[in-house]
Amino acid sequence: MDNETKQTTFSKSTGLPRKRFYRARAHSNPLSDSHFPIPISPAHVDFSLHFPKFVEADNKIIKKVEFADIGCGFGGLLISLATLFPDTLMIGMELRDKVTEYVKERILALRRTSSEGQYENISVVRTNSMKYIPNYFEKGQLSKMFFLFPDPHFKEKNHRRRVISTHLLDEYAYVLRAGGIIYTITDVEELGEWMKSCLEKHPMFESLTQEELVSDPVVELLCSATEEGQKVARNGGQTFRAVFRRIAYVS
Amino acid sequence: MEEESHIEEVEIQNKLEVAPALISVHPSQKSVAVAVGSDLRVFDLIDNCPVSLVDESDGPSRKESIRAIRYSASGKLFVSAGDDKLVKIWSADSWHCLNTVCSEKRVSAVAISSDDSHVFYADKFGVVWVVELDGINEGKTLPSKKGALLLSHYCSIITSLEFSPDGRYILSADRDFKIRVTVFPKKPLEGAHEIQSFCLGHSEFITCTAFVSTPELTQGYLMSGSGDSTVRLWDITSGSLLDTCEVSTVAGHLESNESESPTQVTVTDICAIPNSSLAAVAIQSFQGIFLLSCDLTAHTLSITKVIKIPGESFIPTSIAVSASSKLLWMVSGASNLPGSNHPGFSRVRVISCLETESSSTLEDEQIPGGAKLLEQLQGKIPIEESVMSAAAEAVRAAMSSLLMKKQYSEEKREFRKRTRNDKKTTQ
């Protein structure tokens, strides 16, 4: 049964999974206790399963994940970053199960069809990053975190479900090393204001200067690399960016 | 098998929840406080008389249960808070209510800074709030304040709040198996943003925390009790797990053997014995206490003593020890028991000479304060054996229902999602 569905859900020409078989609603409730497995601690996560080509003879992974795409959706950003930073391990985190499946299949297919052994450094995990980021990453492990077009949760009573908030920034500051960068972008102006304000008010983050933004090759990917970004560009919409650096801090 | 009982328990949510009785002792044993349901009962051990609480804050007396009580380290203040969404700060000398803070949500844990300058309370949505106390030591009654946000565990019930012995860190433990160690800031009202570490290792909700420290090792080591049948020892600066002590074997001391294999036993309460590396631990379903010894050089935990409590059914729901004496005070009780007319009851017992060979559970007459104390703290109505044992089970079930995550089978999940639009068509 599995083989048959695989043949129809994958395109015969590109070998890549067909998106329409992995459609899911845009929202998933971050408040509910979902049934995916949760690692007890970062030591309990076997990243060697995610990055088999970065493993030494003793089956131990040789380096740690440095980039995390929170709410990676269909994986567009990861795929663009994979070739820009081929020696860096990156992971996408996504709450929706069908979408995570799609990204998994997409990465495996890209690895298979790549002639230069690319895409071995990206992977995806299904989890609720608002609750379990410290379960996956150690203190100061990450050098980049991405929050592209997060769910705006328009109603005021739902603002607490927003992935960027003063409280959650404490946790993101914990997993980011000093000097690490957090990238956020949205097409919803109010959310853009909100995220920027949260970051400005948080004592452990400072804004990147204009020169720094221009010289960072990742910044232009924020708009162009993802499905969501491309949709906004097609509709001629405006985007609102907030890119901040995690600073060394003493309470 | 847990699922069916969860469906029934949803109906009970509208009524008041079963809440365990709590006990706390003044650091120099000047007084003892017991909370049962909405009732706070205090006995003065210096003047050997019951205490009348003076509370001038307006508002009708609430029926909801108190969920957390605590004396400050100095013994000057006492805090009580709970399901009535109020945090009451009392003078532990005059027993006037100095301040009442309104919380948005039900309160599940409280802590007081060592210099009595701030009171912290945590709610069932994972937020920890802080209130600054100014001029409280002058004994004035201040208008109600509102708390400022300190930190938050996203959508999780915070079960315990604790300060490290050196005051550098504040700890918050939750039902999502996490302990967060945050650097205590110079200006708490601006929030505690710098996380020092996470102590991750438990596989179930955390119920209680305590620090073991000696004059030589002032930074202290953390012990945590959980629903996963373990007490764990941690180094909080790095978040590393030093040792794990499995306590389900202690429950094997029960006389009656249910034919189930080692089930998970929840650790109810843990209490460090001052000026020692020992801690007293109470667990569900066990009529007694056991002592854990912490080897601070080898960083290990081991059970050194198991003390069974003789007499009628008595499973402690809360334990406390004062810094001055070596008496372990215990209370067993609950409020809002289903099918009971009692609003709540409590039974108090004391174990003396904990660490020595001759530790014993004191008879009622031998307890400091004697019959007068027991009358004040237990109430006048005698408690039947059947009520006591039913209470222990009700408390266990209530805690499990509150803190344990609900696991649904595939069919149940699909059934719950049946009205969603995207679930109707499957490819």
Side-chain angles (χ1 to χ4, degrees):
Chain A
M1 223 270 263
D2 247 299
N3 272 335
E4 286 168 25
T5 35
K6 265 222 166 71
Q7 272 158 23
T8 46
T9 57
F10 277 69
S11 153
K12 289 212 175 69
S13 46
T14 59
L16 297 173
R18 283 197 166 116
K19 226 177 264 169
R20 73 175 132 106
F21 293 103
Y22 296 88
R23 278 294 168 221
R25 65 213 286 258
H27 302 277
S28 199
N29 188 358
L31 303 176
S32 72
D33 289 327
S34 310
H35 58 281
F36 45 82
I38 299 154
I40 294 287
S41 75
H44 288 77
V45 187
D46 191 356
F47 280 111
S48 67
L49 298 173
H50 287 273
F51 309 106
K53 290 281 178 350
F54 284 82
V55 161
E56 211 92 281
D58 57 353
N59 277 341
K60 289 263 176 68
I61 193 124
I62 57 172
K63 51 169 76 170
K64 298 191 175 156
V65 169
E66 278 189 47
F67 295 177
D69 184 0
I70 310 300
C72 65
F74 292 93
L77 179 70
L78 286 172
I79 288 164
S80 305
L81 286 173
T83 45
L84 253 182
F85 299 89
D87 296 317
T88 306
L89 295 185
M90 325 173 184
I91 199 128
M93 304 189 121
E94 174 57 53
L95 192 54
R96 297 168 284 173
D97 53 2
K98 283 223 194 78
V99 176
T100 316
E101 274 309 302
Y102 172 83
V103 180
K104 227 184 271 189
E105 297 295 339
R106 191 174 180 193
I107 294 174
L108 289 173
L110 282 168
R111 287 179 183 177
R112 271 198 307 269
T113 55
S114 162
S115 46
E116 293 135 42
Q118 292 173 319
Y119 306 109
E120 295 291 341
N121 57 338
I122 57 172
S123 187
V124 70
V125 70
R126 185 187 174 211
T127 190
N128 183 348
S129 45
M130 292 168 82
K131 285 176 104 154
Y132 305 118
I133 276 200
N135 297 60
Y136 282 93
F137 306 118
E138 292 165 7
K139 188 175 189 181
Q141 180 176 330
L142 302 178
S143 56
K144 289 193 199 293
M145 278 183 95
F146 297 92
F147 296 84
L148 269 52
F149 302 97
D151 192 329
H153 292 296
F154 292 108
K155 292 186 194 167
E156 216 174 296
K157 70 174 169 104
N158 287 336
H159 282 185
R160 67 198 175 115
R161 300 190 195 186
R162 287 182 166 171
V163 72
I164 296 284
S165 72
T166 312
H167 298 307
L168 285 168
L169 283 175
D170 292 351
E171 293 195 7
Y172 305 152
Y174 170 80
V175 294
L176 269 173
R177 62 184 72 151
I181 303 183
I182 183 168
Y183 299 83
T184 70
I185 189 170
T186 177
D187 57 330
V188 177
E189 183 164 8
E190 190 268 314
L191 179 66
E193 290 298 319
W194 165 284
M195 296 198 288
K196 186 153 171 232
S197 166
C198 286
L199 282 161
E200 275 168 356
K201 288 196 203 134
H202 198 281
M204 290 166 92
F205 289 99
E206 75 179 4
S207 179
L208 256 64
T209 62
Q210 196 52 37
E211 297 81 56
E212 287 168 318
L213 282 175
V214 164
S215 56
D216 187 342
V218 169
V219 169
E220 57 172 10
L221 287 179
L222 299 180
C223 299
S224 58
T226 61
E227 260 212 345
E228 208 45 56
Q230 287 155 10
K231 199 198 309 178
V232 170
R234 269 202 305 276
N235 298 335
Q238 218 186 335
T239 55
F240 306 91
R241 243 177 7 205
V243 182
F244 279 65
R245 172 182 299 111
R246 199 298 208 186
I247 54 175
Y249 177 77
V250 179
S251 279
Chain B
M1 19 104 223
E2 286 267 316
E3 290 170 34
E4 311 317 315
S5 54
H6 283 308
I7 304 169
E8 285 146 35
E9 266 157 316
V10 165
E11 299 156 26
I12 304 175
Q13 254 164 41
N14 295 328
K15 308 175 200 160
L16 297 171
E17 281 172 29
V18 174
L22 305 171
I23 192 166
S24 189
V25 183
H26 185 279
S28 349
Q29 211 169 270
K30 283 188 189 165
S31 54
V32 180
V34 163
V36 183
S38 57
D39 210 8
L40 180 61
R41 308 168 184 168
V42 187
F43 190 85
D44 184 334
L45 282 169
I46 303 293
D47 295 335
N48 217 30
C49 62
V51 163
S52 308
L53 302 168
V54 179
D55 186 359
E56 278 140 33
S57 57
D58 40 38
S61 61
R62 310 281 189 103
K63 287 249 159 21
E64 295 94 340
S65 303
I66 297 173
R67 291 291 186 164
I69 54 173
R70 198 162 202 153
Y71 281 88
S72 68
S74 65
K76 293 205 194 107
L77 297 176
F78 180 86
V79 177
S80 62
D83 290 348
D84 59 359
K85 300 183 191 172
L86 295 178
V87 179
K88 287 191 176 286
I89 303 167
W90 309 82
S91 155
D93 297 310
S94 65
W95 290 101
H96 281 243
C97 176
L98 299 171
N99 206 328
T100 301
V101 182
C102 296
S103 167
E104 285 171 27
K105 310 279 184 198
R106 299 186 192 178
V107 180
S108 51
V110 295
I112 311 168
S113 63
S114 53
D115 58 1
D116 290 343
S117 59
H118 296 85
V119 166
F120 301 83
Y121 58 97
D123 64 29
K124 288 173 71 171
F125 274 73
V127 185
V128 178
W129 306 83
V130 58
V131 168
E132 192 168 53
L133 309 175
D134 33 52
I136 277 223
N137 286 330
E138 294 146 39
K140 293 186 303 197
T141 313
L142 299 161
S144 296
K145 292 191 192 208
K146 210 177 168 295
L149 291 169
L150 187 77
L151 57 91
S152 162
H153 289 224
Y154 191 68
C155 283
S156 191
I157 300 173
I158 292 188
T159 52
S160 182
L161 271 182
E162 209 71 51
F163 273 97
S164 64
D166 55 13
R168 286 178 65 196
Y169 304 109
I170 181 165
L171 244 89
S172 37
D174 66 22
R175 64 100 89 156
D176 280 285
F177 329 164
K178 286 211 234 333
I179 300 170
R180 171 174 153 169
V181 181
T182 314
V183 175
F184 188 61
K186 293 192 186 76
K187 296 185 192 167
L189 294 178
E190 290 175 17
H193 298 288
E194 191 185 349
I195 301 176
Q196 174 67 23
S197 71
F198 278 95
C199 298
L200 303 175
H202 277 296
S203 53
E204 263 304 343
F205 53 86
I206 294 163
T207 50
C208 47
T209 52
F211 273 94
V212 159
S213 70
T214 58
E216 302 87 50
L217 283 165
T218 50
Q219 89 259 28
Y221 288 89
L222 175 71
M223 286 183 300
S224 57
S226 156
D228 64 4
S229 314
T230 66
V231 174
R232 292 180 197 244
L233 185 68
W234 312 86
D235 167 21
I236 56 170
T237 43
S238 60
S240 9
L241 173 61
L242 300 173
D243 200 12
T244 303
C245 184
E246 186 58 56
V247 305
S248 52
T249 45
V250 175
H253 285 251
L254 287 171
E255 287 111 15
S256 61
N257 284 321
E258 323 226 338
S259 50
E260 291 156 39
S261 46
T263 38
Q264 283 207 332
V265 179
T266 298
V267 176
T268 309
D269 205 357
I270 188 165
C271 184
I273 315 290
N275 300 320
S276 76
S277 54
L278 296 173
V281 183
I283 58 178
Q284 284 176 352
S285 317
F286 179 58
Q287 181 158 330
I289 291 289
F290 60 93
L291 283 191
L292 273 185
S293 172
C294 178
D295 184 330
L296 294 172
T297 32
H299 299 150
T300 53
L301 275 179
S302 49
I303 301 177
T304 45
K305 205 169 180 193
V306 178
I307 303 169
K308 286 186 77 175
I309 297 164
E312 77 279 359
S313 175
F314 184 89
I315 295 176
T317 49
S318 174
I319 58 178
V321 69
S322 77
S324 55
S325 74
K326 296 295 189 156
L327 293 179
L328 181 73
W329 294 78
M330 309 173 289
V331 72
S332 176
S335 61
N336 306 319
L337 288 169
S340 164
N341 294 328
H342 291 297
F345 74 92
S346 68
R347 176 90 175 90
V348 174
R349 302 203 66 181
V350 178
I351 295 179
S352 73
C353 310
L354 264 183
E355 304 163 65
T356 66
E357 286 303 310
S358 53
S359 66
S360 62
T361 312
L362 299 178
E363 295 299 324
D364 287 356
E365 313 82 60
Q366 298 169 305
I367 295 178
K372 283 179 86 176
L373 174 141
L374 290 174
E375 196 183 293
Q376 166 70 349
L377 300 182
Q378 291 179 170
K380 300 197 173 73
I381 310 159
I383 310 146
E384 295 124 34
E385 168 88 23
S386 54
V387 176
M388 295 277 302
S389 21
E393 179 50 32
V395 167
R396 191 206 63 75
M399 189 185 278
S400 172
S401 162
L402 177 71
L403 297 177
M404 208 161 251
K405 296 197 197 190
K406 302 194 186 348
Q407 298 294 334
Y408 296 106
S409 65
E410 184 79 41
E411 303 87 51
K412 187 79 35 88
R413 248 186 279 127
E414 291 304 312
F415 179 73
R416 288 162 66 88
K417 291 183 187 174
R418 67 193 183 284
T419 50
R420 263 174 43 180
N421 283 331
D422 62 324
K423 278 288 163 184
K424 286 189 177 146
T425 49
T426 46
Q427 307 207 4

